[in-house]
Amino acid sequence: MSSDDFDSHLRKLMAWHFGDATGSPFWLGKRATLGFDPVSDVQGATDLLRFPDISSELRSVPAGDLIPQGLADQPFRVYDSGGTTGAPKRIVDSGYRSRLLEWAHGRLVAQGVPATGNWLHLGPSGPHVIGFDVSRYAALGNGIFYTVDLDPRWVKRLLGSGRPEQAEEYIQHLLDQAETILRSQDVAVLSTTPPLLEAICAREELYELVLAKVRGIIWAGTSISAESLRLVEEVFFPGTAVAGIYGNSLMGVAPQRERLAGDEYPCVFEAFPETTRLELVDEQGKEVGYGERGRVRLHLVAEEMFLPNILERDSAVRIAPTSPGGPDGLADVQTFGTIDDVAVIEGVY
């Protein structure tokens, strides 16, 4: 989607989110406090910087207030963030996420991830949207969805309170369950996090099962170093398609794009161009240059959710678009050690 097309999309959705008959109680309630008219004054993506960062309010606002009245007859689900920077933030979703995931699934398949077959998700489910995401990938390929539930908040609590031995015991409990599934079931694609992938490689029987059965590995949820990724791809799982996804509950997913000759980084992530803009900014909020590191700033402009000007917990290197008017890429994503004086514990997700 070109910049002009995105700006046209943005103007249409300003009328939607701030229309009396269609907007959510949350945004309609904010309109008088903004100091500008979002319908007439917001004409392009740069105008999204006029909005406040409301992400902290997502920790406490009643989820029903986030649902646009124009979609009030649709069923909605509520998902929580992982709570890495404090109390979880909540989003609502009806059908948008499924459309986003259909696009993302196509990107993964283009990189060699099996288009069909069964999936095993070793990661969060429950209130976390990633569990829904992976179930949709499996469904798009008519595959069976196996899951081992991971509670990332419990792991963060264990690590944050100085109990690494109990965190390790919990990880082994998760791996026991994954091993049981893999012993008897066909699994084409494994979805997990880099720390759990590392733990899998350290358990001989489980590692051999994954190596023998799995033809695609999706990693997400935490950062991974270039050297660790090289070991995964070249030493532990040669011949298996390995692809990363950057994302979270608020922004959605930004799958790794195909590697190109001359790429300096092994993984370059791109967001869903129809609804999402990811910018990398310096401490003054100005976009950094290509090849420079900046903090991730999100603008999500979808019919179901409007999240402008959100500063994320991560930094990344800005990569030039692969085509004129295309989205910027993000590489070498890293999580800040602290956000607003709150220590960030990545844990295993």
Side-chain angles (χ1 to χ4, degrees), residues 97-111:
R97 195 92 183 184
S98 294
R99 296 193 294 275
L100 164 66
L101 296 173
E102 187 170 353
W103 167 81
H105 183 257
R107 304 273 294 204
L108 297 175
V109 170
Q111 295 178 72

Side-chain angles (χ1 to χ4, degrees), residues 110-264:
Q111 295 178 72
V113 174
T116 59
N118 302 332
W119 285 60
L120 169 59
H121 176 55
L122 178 55
S125 54
H128 309 287
V129 73
I130 188 172
F132 171 76
D133 290 355
V134 182
S135 72
R136 285 299 304 160
Y137 296 143
L140 287 166
N142 294 319
I144 296 171
F145 177 57
Y146 300 99
T147 185
V148 175
D149 184 38
L150 156 67
D151 184 348
R153 298 171 190 165
W154 180 239
V155 178
K156 289 181 173 68
R157 174 173 290 190
L158 292 174
L159 295 175
S161 58
R163 292 181 283 173
E165 297 83 4
Q166 292 185 36
E168 177 58 28
E169 186 177 356
Y170 180 63
I171 289 171
Q172 294 306 317
H173 170 62
L174 298 173
L175 299 186
D176 289 344
Q177 297 171 72
E179 196 168 289
T180 298
I181 293 171
L182 282 161
R183 281 190 191 125
S184 62
Q185 306 300 312
D186 290 328
V187 174
V189 186
L190 169 67
S191 166
T192 191
T193 70
L196 290 177
L197 197 52
E198 182 178 345
I200 288 171
C201 294
R203 276 182 52 150
E204 184 175 355
E205 182 178 354
L206 179 56
Y207 165 68
E208 293 295 341
L209 284 167
V210 174
L211 185 63
K213 291 192 169 186
V214 170
R215 292 177 283 123
I217 294 174
I218 308 298
W219 60 267
T222 67
S223 55
I224 186 171
S225 70
E227 176 59 14
S228 294
L229 183 59
R230 186 191 68 79
L231 290 173
V232 168
E233 294 182 343
E234 299 179 9
V235 177
F236 288 101
F237 300 106
T240 302
V242 178
I245 297 177
Y246 172 59
N248 56 45
S249 299
L250 272 61
M251 64 155 282
V253 295
Q256 175 185 335
R257 68 157 166 75
E258 292 181 79
R259 288 178 186 162
L260 304 175
D263 274 345
E264 183 177 352

